[in-house]
Amino acid sequence: MKALWKEIAGRGLALKETPIPRVGDDEALIKVKVASICGTDLHIYVWNDWAKGRIKPPIIAGHEFAGTVVEVGENVRRVKKGDFVSAETHIYCGHCFQCLIGHPEICENLKILGVDINGAFAEYVAVPEKVLWVNSPTIKEEFASIQEPLGNAVDTVLAEDIAGKTVLLTGAGPIGLLGVGVARAFGATKIIVSDLSDYRLDIAKKMGADVVVNAKSVDVKKIVLDETHGHGVDVGLEFSGSAHALNDLLKSVRPGGRVSLLGLFDNSVSIDFNDDVIFKKIRIYGITGRRIFETWNIVSNLLNSGRLDVSPVITHKFPLEEFGKGMELMETQMSGKVLLIP
Amino acid sequence: MKALWKEIAGRGLALKETPIPRVGDDEALIKVKVASICGTDLHIYVWNDWAKGRIKPPIIAGHEFAGTVVEVGENVRRVKKGDFVSAETHIYCGHCFQCLIGHPEICENLKILGVDINGAFAEYVAVPEKVLWVNSPTIKEEFASIQEPLGNAVDTVLAEDIAGKTVLLTGAGPIGLLGVGVARAFGATKIIVSDLSDYRLDIAKKMGADVVVNAKSVDVKKIVLDETHGHGVDVGLEFSGSAHALNDLLKSVRPGGRVSLLGLFDNSVSIDFNDDVIFKKIRIYGITGRRIFETWNIVSNLLNSGRLDVSPVITHKFPLEEFGKGMELMETQMSGKVLLIP
Amino acid sequence: MKALWKEIAGRGLALKETPIPRVGDDEALIKVKVASICGTDLHIYVWNDWAKGRIKPPIIAGHEFAGTVVEVGENVRRVKKGDFVSAETHIYCGHCFQCLIGHPEICENLKILGVDINGAFAEYVAVPEKVLWVNSPTIKEEFASIQEPLGNAVDTVLAEDIAGKTVLLTGAGPIGLLGVGVARAFGATKIIVSDLSDYRLDIAKKMGADVVVNAKSVDVKKIVLDETHGHGVDVGLEFSGSAHALNDLLKSVRPGGRVSLLGLFDNSVSIDFNDDVIFKKIRIYGITGRRIFETWNIVSNLLNSGRLDVSPVITHKFPLEEFGKGMELMETQMSGKVLLIP
Amino acid sequence: MKALWKEIAGRGLALKETPIPRVGDDEALIKVKVASICGTDLHIYVWNDWAKGRIKPPIIAGHEFAGTVVEVGENVRRVKKGDFVSAETHIYCGHCFQCLIGHPEICENLKILGVDINGAFAEYVAVPEKVLWVNSPTIKEEFASIQEPLGNAVDTVLAEDIAGKTVLLTGAGPIGLLGVGVARAFGATKIIVSDLSDYRLDIAKKMGADVVVNAKSVDVKKIVLDETHGHGVDVGLEFSGSAHALNDLLKSVRPGGRVSLLGLFDNSVSIDFNDDVIFKKIRIYGITGRRIFETWNIVSNLLNSGRLDVSPVITHKFPLEEFGKGMELMETQMSGKVLLIP
């Protein structure tokens, strides 16, 4: 099969002919129909500091995908040949303290597909049954391939109730854009989105943003106050990983509001806990991964019901061979989700 | 002014010329633009058992309304002449245990507008400032007049998160129909509605129901299982006050689901707590009134944002003089909300 | 080994010499140090209607126990020979909808130890690793053997916050008595306990009850009002399975309070939903099993820290051979927990 | 009457003969039996930067107290002459957005007793009825005088469930010490307390700390890991206002844990959001004031029931005239709560 390998400690990936993986007793082999490029994949491609510290080449990259089960290991019970599946990419151990108390998403021995073990930028991928989610056969393959980041967006939006609330969402990258759609589908009544890219803000509008703000040119905090009778928003959703955006967000949330943090920051961030957290009595939620599989169930319901249309976020599609085009497009930030078709 | 009095202990109401109420120090006088008929008003009109036990004629009926403040008492601070207002009809005392711990909606000394004190089926009504909600001037008067039952619907739907959940809603009377719209606006991904009236089920569809079931002719439980891959719904919302519907609902909710109860029953209801509550580990929420004014804020956000369109529920409008037509229409159950215009 | 078999469809159990069970690949073999008798075991012993419908003899009874792992199957990873363990008795499938969304305690394919598969009233028992909880070696064996019902009590008490709340607990059987201790340890500030047995109410006092009421002779509702300045209790905990107690409880809980139901009823129960649930805006929680293993972790913390002393609940201890004495004692209700020592 | 005035913009307070305050229509006049010194009072005394920016002399200081109602204004209904009362010191407006949606504790127009209006370091104080809490007559006056900071401690501890959890509490000043007692009373199963003062750590032990750590000499994070099987604590409670302590706390909390922040910091604080918040999926709660009066009800239950004994925290008592001794003692940090008796 063809697979996209991180072979050397440096920029780039290499498409290589590779044996189809053998299926372990607890695994299924999946023929990949669509994969999608995550920011993590881009980090591995450009070989940034995080990648240098974490990735041990050679490894096949990629973790967001949808495909069909073609073979199952002998202990596999739930998943069957022919099932249309996607995968939770957090491969939890199942026996650590966190797994035992019901939080596999923060497993102490987490392995990540395409990071710690061979991934899905390939014609076939072998995945433990325990992280496979069986999709409805009626869901579009493209949509099914982005359920993992859509799950991030769902957990970020639903850290507390969003129904009837006003929202500031900072960072309209692909997951942030999914967050806009999720907030809209779940009844946020005013959604303000800030980013530095007009291209992405245009997509935000298509996903349901009521107000978009390019933070390069205007003061986000002022817009938020104008749009909320001077109160500030009920909810802040941070997808940008920008220290500046986080501080703006904390100042834009009303007393008694809440903030969810998904975006990762380059460094530590300094914030005014007294005025922006304590006196305002707000709650801050760190978000990582997705509830396995509670969140997947919500994601499926959203997609199967048609309540959320993610099409505007999927901006480009390439054959696997043209992965370089996709990676470079993502580097320019002139894209939403970029799909690869093996 | 003209006002609609319950004068005698028997069927009917009487339209009479009446002095405009004098405003107490803590009250505002409101010119009523639109009032809407509640099931409670119908009970008073037909003089059912509940009305016989509770109402002490003479009293002006009516509690759902929107209007304009024309005069304020000397202690009034928040509300001003010219404000477009509606009223929370639960007039709480402010000093009982429930009020002190933040639950005025279940005040121990609750008085109800149009039940315990003169109400809003009149050209003018005097209302304590503490229960007045100032509407956005841009909201339609008709919509503003039904915020009180819309608040019931919101609290019923939001007793727990509704986002991405499947729902069975029993009872498509006016509040149930608002509940359908609320559940849809807040992201329920499948909404099944049961009632005995095809007329009302048609409105339910317009409000966003995915599946409607006339419980006269089919087994609701069976439909629910068919529509939910055999699991049952995540959420049950009971607006009918029918013992049969409640039992169907409890059997239709999946293990781990939850149920909200708003509809009032004619008598005690017998249920199978073992199989339908305990072994299924469900939660049952009694719902009454609305959070004051937390729920009103959500209701305003829903209406102001246009996320919820309540027009299909408002089926009839009459001048105050033709109240009898409205009451008789509601008796036939061939209506949604019926409005009266003084 | 010796084991206690349900051999025939009728009253009684039989102690028989039996081969030590063989360990499956995913199982561990445990040498039982202490087992404790559950109400379920008594049902099996006396062969009541529930037992007739559910139990298929022959089967070894018993599910509450503590012991030492003496052998592990080849797929076992987390548990090691020599570990001091107890078992969650709800053997979940791991692949149904409920298991997938994080609720194995209400698994759709639940098997129960000592009910559906051979249990722990024996010198050895083979148990799937996935339901084994590794105890601290410092915890007393007797205490470790009753963690499963203690987990029921914890989930009943903690359905909502108990801290600083007033409580009525109905039913001072062994689990109810553990509930008294849990409510006390977790900061309930007034605990009223009702039962029909003075013997059990005496133990309730030792477990931390502030007020005990024999419902045979006095009106529980009246006592509750007297003890709570006329408000009613914040929290109702139902362990009795008595329809009468449930109705008393619902009337004794204050508006805005909550109720947890663990006790199973003989039949459907009729309640006044209007006055006792809806107008009071209370929440009712059906409780079954225990969160796996979230609740076990809380239980361990309680026992390891010494914050809860369960000794008063453990009233009798017999060698396995004298199981009949234990069963008959439990039938008289003149006992707390009865332990069997193989 | 005698009263303690902040007269000039500089260090110190002055005891002066002053007319007894006149009671407004909505107020009650209280004869102060016991007052207690808050950190805020000390700030006013030493005239730190916060005081310079906020206090407009002349003003009577003091806000924590208990006393007897001796006169009531004409609109006063709930409180009666002779009532034994304490006061919520957050005098909310009752008509802003936050007050309307049920959060007077973060009122947009908050006035604080002894900061914005004349306070309780005097023989008499006039207080709006709406912030008065009627104490049980059986509660000790000394205990009643510290309910306001005890309420801070309760809200900090109960931001999420504390039952059966392990805790790190940083900062054993008077409120932190009350927090230790509250965490213990509400069932925390291991309480680790860090501070820089051995004197205060000794009191922490008396209040129920299991482990005390002087952060001057040892690494708090290491102790926490040793005491929690390497997992970290479930709950972090920050009362110190030290940036260093906050960072230690965030690193000491286990993945999935939560943190409450009450202590105020001198400056912005830099934290590693990626590793300490997001990847760990923790929740951070800003805490200010107390739920009015939901928290007061819990505080009363704690004190009335005797479940919490706050005596060890009350280390000194002086006549009002000797206020200088009290202030200087607090400056040295060689005290718990210091009471003043008018």
Side-chain angles (χ1 to χ4, degrees):
Chain A
M1 69 173 191
K2 284 175 197 147
L4 216 46
W5 288 87
K6 186 76 194 180
E7 284 195 305
I8 50 156
R11 187 180 172 95
L13 289 168
L15 190 74
K16 291 197 2 176
E17 199 62 33
T18 307
I20 292 177
R22 289 182 43 185
V23 182
D25 289 352
D26 299 311
E27 294 182 336
L29 183 69
I30 296 131
K31 182 164 172 46
V32 179
K33 295 299 184 67
V34 184
S36 78
I37 305 180
C38 175
T40 301
D41 299 314
L42 185 63
H43 296 333
I44 295 173
Y45 180 81
V46 303
W47 202 240
N48 73 355
D49 286 346
W50 172 84
K52 286 173 195 164
R54 178 70 185 272
I55 305 292
K56 314 262 171 276
I59 191 166
I60 301 173
H63 58 275
E64 303 175 1
F65 73 95
T68 306
V69 174
V70 292
E71 196 186 333
V72 298
E74 69 173 38
N75 294 334
V76 169
R77 296 279 171 280
R78 177 170 58 92
V79 170
K80 295 177 309 292
K81 216 184 282 194
D83 279 353
F84 176 43
V85 297
S86 292
E88 167 55 50
T89 59
H90 281 196
I91 303 173
Y92 58 92
C93 73
H95 56 254
C96 72
F97 178 71
Q98 296 294 344
C99 285
L100 289 181
I101 63 168
H103 288 285
E105 79 278 16
I106 42 173
C107 167
E108 296 170 4
N109 308 302
L110 215 53
K111 292 213 164 111
I112 298 185
L113 199 66
V115 169
D116 300 306
I117 67 170
N118 280 337
F121 287 165
E123 289 179 85
Y124 295 89
V125 61
V127 176
E129 181 195 26
K130 68 183 171 187
V131 294
L132 286 175
W133 178 254
V134 180
N135 296 314
S136 160
T138 60
I139 193 176
K140 280 182 76 168
E141 289 172 358
E142 298 183 3
F143 295 176
S145 77
I146 63 166
Q147 292 177 97
E148 195 258 24
L150 183 50
N152 289 132
V154 164
D155 278 8
T156 307
V157 170
L158 292 188
E160 286 184 12
D161 205 352
I162 196 78
K165 301 287 172 69
T166 57
V167 177
L168 171 63
L169 184 154
T170 52
I175 307 185
L177 290 168
L178 293 170
V180 176
V182 171
R184 180 70 185 238
F186 288 161
T189 45
K190 177 165 280 189
I191 304 172
I192 305 168
V193 178
S194 77
D195 197 281
L196 303 174
S197 153
D198 286 333
Y199 174 89
R200 291 182 160 180
L201 290 172
D202 279 346
I203 305 177
K205 272 191 220 162
K206 289 180 195 145
M207 292 304 292
D210 297 285
V211 179
V212 298
V213 189
N214 192 317
K216 261 195 279 196
S217 45
V218 287
D219 181 354
V220 174
K221 299 184 296 293
K222 195 187 162 311
I223 303 282
V224 168
L225 290 178
D226 289 351
E227 291 285 340
T228 56
H229 310 285
H231 294 134
V233 285
D234 300 316
V235 176
L237 305 175
E238 212 310 290
F239 289 89
S240 74
S242 150
H244 191 270
L246 174 57
N247 273 284
D248 269 9
L249 188 73
L250 289 169
K251 287 182 193 309
S252 298
V253 169
R254 71 166 172 80
R258 65 103 172 175
V259 166
S260 293
L261 305 181
L262 185 79
L264 297 173
F265 300 91
D266 291 338
N267 297 293
S268 287
V269 182
S270 179
I271 67 173
D272 180 348
F273 278 99
N274 293 10
D275 284 348
D276 293 348
V277 179
I278 297 172
F279 286 132
K280 283 168 74 168
K281 206 180 171 186
I282 69 167
R283 285 86 55 216
I284 299 176
Y285 294 83
I287 307 292
T288 188
R290 296 140 298 277
R291 297 295 304 265
I292 306 166
F293 285 100
E294 191 173 356
T295 302
W296 284 83
N297 182 46
I298 301 294
V299 165
S300 287
N301 284 350
L302 264 179
L303 293 176
N304 291 336
S305 64
R307 295 292 203 264
L308 175 64
D309 176 10
V310 295
S311 323
V313 179
I314 300 174
T315 54
H316 299 82
K317 221 185 310 187
F318 298 101
L320 184 58
E321 292 77 2
E322 298 178 25
F323 65 91
K325 282 192 194 165
M327 292 291 175
E328 276 148 39
L329 197 59
M330 283 193 64
E331 249 182 313
T332 65
Q333 307 209 350
M334 294 298 282
S335 73
K337 264 289 167 199
V338 177
L339 306 187
L340 297 177
I341 315 296
Chain B
M1 69 173 192
K2 284 174 195 146
L4 215 47
W5 288 87
K6 186 75 195 180
E7 287 195 302
I8 49 155
R11 186 179 172 96
L13 288 168
L15 190 73
K16 293 197 358 178
E17 200 60 33
T18 308
I20 292 177
R22 289 182 45 185
V23 181
D25 289 351
D26 300 311
E27 293 182 337
L29 182 70
I30 296 130
K31 182 166 174 43
V32 178
K33 296 298 184 66
V34 184
S36 77
I37 304 180
C38 175
T40 301
D41 299 314
L42 184 63
H43 295 333
I44 296 172
Y45 180 83
V46 302
W47 202 240
N48 75 355
D49 286 344
W50 171 85
K52 286 173 196 165
R54 178 71 185 273
I55 304 294
K56 315 261 169 278
I59 191 165
I60 302 174
H63 56 275
E64 304 175 2
F65 73 97
T68 306
V69 174
V70 292
E71 195 187 334
V72 298
E74 67 172 37
N75 294 334
V76 168
R77 296 276 172 284
R78 179 169 59 91
V79 170
K80 294 180 309 295
K81 215 184 281 194
D83 279 352
F84 175 44
V85 297
S86 293
E88 167 55 48
T89 58
H90 282 194
I91 303 175
Y92 58 93
C93 72
H95 56 253
C96 72
F97 178 71
Q98 296 295 344
C99 284
L100 290 182
I101 64 167
H103 287 285
E105 80 277 16
I106 42 173
C107 168
E108 296 170 5
N109 307 302
L110 215 53
K111 292 210 163 115
I112 298 185
L113 199 66
V115 169
D116 300 305
I117 65 171
N118 280 337
F121 286 165
E123 288 179 87
Y124 295 90
V125 61
V127 177
E129 181 193 29
K130 66 184 173 187
V131 294
L132 285 176
W133 178 253
V134 180
N135 296 314
S136 161
T138 60
I139 193 177
K140 280 180 75 169
E141 289 172 357
E142 298 183 2
F143 294 176
S145 77
I146 63 167
Q147 293 178 94
E148 195 258 24
L150 183 49
N152 288 131
V154 164
D155 279 9
T156 307
V157 170
L158 292 188
E160 286 185 14
D161 205 353
I162 196 79
K165 301 288 172 69
T166 56
V167 177
L168 171 63
L169 185 154
T170 50
I175 307 185
L177 290 169
L178 293 171
V180 176
V182 171
R184 180 69 185 240
F186 289 160
T189 46
K190 177 164 280 188
I191 303 172
I192 305 166
V193 178
S194 77
D195 197 281
L196 302 175
S197 152
D198 287 332
Y199 174 89
R200 291 183 159 177
L201 290 171
D202 280 345
I203 304 177
K205 272 192 217 159
K206 290 181 194 144
M207 292 303 292
D210 297 285
V211 178
V212 298
V213 189
N214 192 317
K216 261 193 280 196
S217 46
V218 287
D219 181 354
V220 174
K221 299 184 298 294
K222 195 188 161 311
I223 303 282
V224 168
L225 290 178
D226 289 351
E227 290 285 339
T228 56
H229 310 284
H231 294 134
V233 286
D234 301 315
V235 176
L237 305 175
E238 212 308 292
F239 291 88
S240 74
S242 148
H244 191 269
L246 174 57
N247 272 286
D248 269 7
L249 188 73
L250 289 168
K251 287 182 193 311
S252 298
V253 168
R254 71 165 173 82
R258 65 106 170 173
V259 166
S260 292
L261 305 182
L262 185 79
L264 297 174
F265 300 90
D266 291 336
N267 296 294
S268 287
V269 181
S270 178
I271 68 174
D272 180 349
F273 278 100
N274 292 10
D275 283 348
D276 293 348
V277 179
I278 297 172
F279 286 132
K280 284 168 73 168
K281 207 181 168 184
I282 68 167
R283 284 86 55 214
I284 299 176
Y285 295 82
I287 307 292
T288 187
R290 297 138 298 276
R291 296 298 302 265
I292 307 167
F293 285 100
E294 191 173 357
T295 302
W296 283 84
N297 182 46
I298 300 295
V299 165
S300 286
N301 284 350
L302 264 178
L303 293 176
N304 292 335
S305 65
R307 295 294 203 262
L308 175 64
D309 176 11
V310 295
S311 321
V313 180
I314 300 174
T315 54
H316 299 81
K317 221 184 310 187
F318 297 101
L320 185 57
E321 292 77 2
E322 298 178 24
F323 66 91
K325 282 191 194 165
M327 293 291 175
E328 275 148 40
L329 198 58
M330 283 192 64
E331 248 183 313
T332 65
Q333 306 210 351
M334 293 299 281
S335 73
K337 264 289 168 198
V338 176
L339 306 188
L340 296 178
I341 315 296
Chain C
M1 68 174 192
K2 284 174 195 148
L4 215 46
W5 289 87
K6 186 77 194 180
E7 285 195 303
I8 50 155
R11 186 180 172 95
L13 289 168
L15 190 75
K16 291 198 0 177
E17 199 60 33
T18 307
I20 292 177
R22 289 183 44 185
V23 181
D25 289 351
D26 301 309
E27 294 181 336
L29 184 69
I30 295 129
K31 182 164 174 43
V32 178
K33 295 299 186 67
V34 184
S36 77
I37 304 179
C38 175
T40 301
D41 299 314
L42 184 62
H43 296 333
I44 296 173
Y45 179 82
V46 302
W47 202 240
N48 74 355
D49 287 344
W50 171 84
K52 286 173 195 163
R54 178 71 184 271
I55 303 294
K56 314 263 170 277
I59 192 166
I60 302 174
H63 56 275
E64 304 175 2
F65 73 96
T68 306
V69 174
V70 292
E71 196 186 332
V72 299
E74 68 173 37
N75 294 335
V76 169
R77 297 277 171 283
R78 177 169 58 92
V79 170
K80 295 179 310 294
K81 214 184 282 194
D83 279 353
F84 176 44
V85 297
S86 293
E88 168 56 47
T89 58
H90 282 194
I91 303 174
Y92 58 93
C93 72
H95 56 255
C96 72
F97 178 70
Q98 296 295 344
C99 284
L100 290 181
I101 64 168
H103 287 284
E105 80 277 16
I106 42 174
C107 168
E108 296 170 4
N109 307 302
L110 215 52
K111 293 213 163 110
I112 298 186
L113 198 66
V115 169
D116 300 305
I117 66 171
N118 279 336
F121 286 165
E123 289 179 84
Y124 295 89
V125 61
V127 177
E129 181 194 27
K130 67 184 173 187
V131 294
L132 285 176
W133 178 255
V134 180
N135 296 314
S136 159
T138 60
I139 193 176
K140 279 181 77 170
E141 290 173 357
E142 298 183 2
F143 295 178
S145 77
I146 63 167
Q147 292 178 95
E148 195 258 26
L150 183 49
N152 288 132
V154 164
D155 279 9
T156 307
V157 170
L158 292 187
E160 286 184 13
D161 205 353
I162 196 79
K165 302 287 173 69
T166 55
V167 177
L168 171 63
L169 185 154
T170 50
I175 307 185
L177 290 169
L178 292 171
V180 176
V182 171
R184 179 72 186 238
F186 289 160
T189 46
K190 178 166 279 189
I191 304 171
I192 305 167
V193 178
S194 76
D195 198 279
L196 302 174
S197 151
D198 287 332
Y199 174 89
R200 289 181 161 179
L201 290 171
D202 280 344
I203 303 177
K205 272 191 216 159
K206 289 181 195 146
M207 292 304 292
D210 297 285
V211 179
V212 298
V213 189
N214 193 317
K216 259 193 280 193
S217 45
V218 287
D219 181 354
V220 174
K221 299 186 296 294
K222 195 188 161 308
I223 303 281
V224 168
L225 290 178
D226 289 350
E227 290 285 339
T228 57
H229 310 283
H231 295 134
V233 285
D234 301 315
V235 177
L237 306 175
E238 211 309 291
F239 290 88
S240 73
S242 149
H244 191 269
L246 174 57
N247 273 285
D248 268 8
L249 188 72
L250 288 168
K251 288 182 193 309
S252 298
V253 168
R254 69 164 174 82
R258 64 104 170 173
V259 165
S260 293
L261 305 182
L262 185 79
L264 297 173
F265 300 90
D266 291 337
N267 297 294
S268 287
V269 181
S270 180
I271 66 173
D272 180 349
F273 278 100
N274 292 12
D275 284 347
D276 293 348
V277 180
I278 296 173
F279 287 132
K280 283 168 72 168
K281 207 181 169 183
I282 70 166
R283 285 87 54 216
I284 298 177
Y285 295 82
I287 306 291
T288 187
R290 298 139 297 275
R291 296 296 302 266
I292 304 167
F293 286 100
E294 192 174 357
T295 302
W296 284 83
N297 182 46
I298 301 294
V299 165
S300 286
N301 284 350
L302 264 179
L303 293 177
N304 292 334
S305 65
R307 294 295 202 261
L308 175 64
D309 176 11
V310 296
S311 323
V313 179
I314 301 174
T315 54
H316 299 81
K317 223 185 307 187
F318 297 100
L320 185 57
E321 291 77 2
E322 298 178 23
F323 66 90
K325 282 191 195 165
M327 293 291 175
E328 276 147 40
L329 198 58
M330 284 191 65
E331 250 183 313
T332 64
Q333 306 209 351
M334 295 298 283
S335 73
K337 264 289 168 199
V338 177
L339 306 188
L340 296 178
I341 315 295
Chain D
M1 71 173 190
K2 284 177 195 144
L4 215 46
W5 288 86
K6 187 74 193 181
E7 285 196 303
I8 51 157
R11 186 180 173 96
L13 289 168
L15 190 75
K16 291 197 359 176
E17 199 61 33
T18 307
I20 291 177
R22 290 183 41 186
V23 181
D25 288 353
D26 300 311
E27 293 182 339
L29 182 70
I30 295 129
K31 182 164 173 44
V32 179
K33 295 298 184 69
V34 184
S36 77
I37 305 179
C38 175
T40 301
D41 300 314
L42 184 62
H43 296 334
I44 295 172
Y45 179 83
V46 301
W47 201 241
N48 75 354
D49 286 344
W50 172 84
K52 287 173 194 164
R54 178 70 185 274
I55 304 294
K56 315 261 171 276
I59 192 166
I60 302 174
H63 56 275
E64 303 174 1
F65 73 96
T68 306
V69 175
V70 292
E71 195 187 333
V72 298
E74 67 172 36
N75 294 334
V76 168
R77 296 278 173 283
R78 178 170 57 93
V79 170
K80 296 178 309 292
K81 215 183 282 192
D83 279 353
F84 175 43
V85 298
S86 293
E88 168 54 49
T89 59
H90 281 195
I91 303 174
Y92 58 92
C93 72
H95 56 253
C96 72
F97 178 71
Q98 296 295 344
C99 284
L100 289 181
I101 63 167
H103 287 284
E105 79 279 15
I106 43 174
C107 168
E108 296 171 5
N109 307 301
L110 214 54
K111 291 209 165 115
I112 298 186
L113 198 67
V115 168
D116 300 306
I117 65 171
N118 280 336
F121 286 165
E123 289 179 85
Y124 294 90
V125 61
V127 176
E129 181 194 28
K130 68 183 171 188
V131 293
L132 285 176
W133 179 254
V134 180
N135 296 313
S136 160
T138 60
I139 193 176
K140 278 180 78 170
E141 290 173 357
E142 300 183 1
F143 295 176
S145 77
I146 64 167
Q147 291 178 96
E148 194 257 24
L150 183 50
N152 289 132
V154 163
D155 278 9
T156 307
V157 170
L158 292 188
E160 286 184 13
D161 204 352
I162 197 77
K165 301 288 172 70
T166 56
V167 177
L168 172 62
L169 184 154
T170 51
I175 307 185
L177 290 169
L178 292 171
V180 175
V182 171
R184 179 71 186 237
F186 289 161
T189 45
K190 178 166 280 189
I191 304 171
I192 305 168
V193 179
S194 77
D195 197 281
L196 303 174
S197 152
D198 287 333
Y199 174 89
R200 289 181 160 179
L201 291 171
D202 279 345
I203 304 177
K205 272 190 218 162
K206 289 181 193 144
M207 292 303 292
D210 297 286
V211 179
V212 297
V213 189
N214 193 317
K216 261 194 280 196
S217 46
V218 288
D219 181 355
V220 174
K221 300 185 296 294
K222 196 188 161 310
I223 303 283
V224 168
L225 291 178
D226 290 351
E227 290 285 340
T228 57
H229 310 284
H231 293 134
V233 284
D234 301 315
V235 176
L237 305 175
E238 211 309 292
F239 290 89
S240 73
S242 149
H244 191 269
L246 174 57
N247 273 285
D248 268 8
L249 187 73
L250 289 168
K251 287 182 194 309
S252 299
V253 167
R254 70 165 174 82
R258 63 105 170 174
V259 166
S260 292
L261 304 182
L262 184 80
L264 297 173
F265 300 90
D266 292 336
N267 296 293
S268 287
V269 181
S270 180
I271 67 174
D272 180 348
F273 278 100
N274 293 11
D275 284 348
D276 293 348
V277 179
I278 296 172
F279 286 132
K280 283 167 73 168
K281 206 179 170 185
I282 69 167
R283 285 88 55 215
I284 299 177
Y285 294 82
I287 307 291
T288 188
R290 296 140 298 277
R291 297 297 302 267
I292 305 166
F293 287 99
E294 191 175 356
T295 302
W296 284 83
N297 182 45
I298 301 294
V299 165
S300 288
N301 284 349
L302 263 179
L303 293 176
N304 291 335
S305 65
R307 294 294 204 261
L308 174 64
D309 176 11
V310 296
S311 321
V313 180
I314 300 174
T315 53
H316 299 82
K317 223 184 307 188
F318 296 101
L320 185 58
E321 292 78 359
E322 298 178 24
F323 66 89
K325 281 193 195 164
M327 293 291 175
E328 275 148 40
L329 196 60
M330 283 192 63
E331 249 182 313
T332 64
Q333 307 209 350
M334 294 298 283
S335 73
K337 265 287 170 199
V338 177
L339 306 188
L340 296 178
I341 315 296

